[in-house]
Amino acid sequence: MERELDAELRGAFDRVFARSWYIKGEENKSFEEAFAAYHGVEHCVGVGNGLDALMLALKSLGIGEGDEVIVPSNTYIATALAVTYVGAKPVFVEPNIRTFNIDPSRIEAAVTEKTKAIIPVHLYGQPCDMDPIMEIARKRELRVVEDCAQAHGARYKGQLVGTFGDAAGFSFYPGKNLGALGDAGAVLTNDKELAKKIRALGNYGSDYKYHHIYQGNNSRLDEIQAAFLSAKLPHLDRMNAERRRIAKRYLAEIQHLDVILPTVPDYAEPVWHIFAVRCSSRDALEKHMNDHGIMTNKHYPIPMHLQECYRDLAFQKGDFPIAEEISQTELSLPMFYGMTEEEIQFVIDSINGLVK
Ligand SMILES: *Cc1c(COP(=O)(O)O)cnc(C)c1O
């Protein structure tokens, strides 16, 4: 993708370089406007990365020490880290094993009087089942911060993810569906006051120069990354369509008794950040594919509750069996923009056992 946009990306760099203005300028402003407009949302605040986007969103909502936040038990560590960074406690809720996303029917049992928010993660580019999640949030007066780091452009019942909750965090890490050429992130919200607070929190807690209302940190989207992102955003839907084309072939043509393909519910228009299959003999399948020169991945081999950094939470093996099952059986197939028909066919043949 970067090669194909060579001229646009170099042009973006030249524009910033000519202006010699690198932090908080025109590029940040115009990307924020474009990203907000793409979503039909009022405000976008560019930040340093996806973890900060989630962390600043939680902080702006006043979530911190003594609070609990519900997160899926099988997400990438950044979701939980955002919660623990603000001093709150992550409460893990198991996913639906077919969609890999948080199971709404298990959320209420995890709500206590300390619960302040839910972070639905649109994992692998699949939208969460948002209607029941928003219903529980309304009923229990909880905030909703969507983790959209893997789901730029995904839709739930026709509506873009990132437009449901109080705020949404995005990552533009290079490998994401919309990636910068370095670290970058953004928060979306329709709440003007929240947007103002997030912007200040990421800029030393400052609302105007040398005036500090919060003990903020430094997390800003720099001009060069914003310019690159503005060059790539108009191509997002096309890049996602490419991933859908690959996914469609995998779904139609992979046929192996031991391989369970991902389920796409009627409400979902996923963007396939990751194409995740499950296989009881995952490691053997992985070796078979790697032996044929096919790169695969595991998302993620160790669930959060068993991570060393969270030993304080005192969880044990068996506490979240679905997350553990996914960690032991999930295999991510090649999925990238520019994959050729031959490459797709080779992956399919390799799994189906035709390539020995
Ligand atoms: C990538 C990712 C993040 C964090 O984004 P960074 O830009 O790497 O900080 C958060 N949540 C999920 C689900 C991610 O995949």
Side-chain angles (χ1 to χ4, degrees), residues 26-103:
E26 286 304 308
E27 297 294 341
N28 197 340
K29 195 160 172 283
S30 63
F31 174 69
E32 285 177 350
E33 279 168 12
F35 201 61
Y38 174 87
H39 288 90
V41 161
E42 292 290 322
H43 308 280
C44 171
V45 182
V47 297
N49 54 65
L51 170 58
D52 284 354
L54 296 170
M55 193 259 284
L56 293 171
L58 292 172
K59 213 168 163 181
S60 72
L61 289 165
I63 293 163
E65 209 76 45
D67 297 333
E68 292 179 359
V69 177
I70 290 172
V71 300
S73 57
N74 62 320
T75 178
Y76 179 56
I77 191 84
T79 317
L81 286 176
V83 175
T84 48
Y85 263 128
V86 301
K89 184 180 158 202
V91 173
F92 301 125
V93 168
E94 292 265 65
N96 174 321
I97 199 153
R98 305 218 155 266
T99 63
F100 301 107
N101 274 330
I102 193 165
D103 184 343

Side-chain angles (χ1 to χ4, degrees), residues 166-184:
D166 296 277
F170 284 82
S171 164
F172 306 120
Y173 177 82
K176 307 286 176 159
N177 291 45
L178 179 62
L181 306 188
D183 274 318

Side-chain angles (χ1 to χ4, degrees), residues 3 8 40 97 122 151-152 163 180 187 208 228 233 243 316 347:
R3 296 288 158 257
E8 280 108 315
I97 199 153
H122 307 293
H152 320 65
T163 63
V187 184
Y208 59 92
F228 289 147
L233 179 59
R243 288 174 181 268
Q316 284 165 12
V347 172

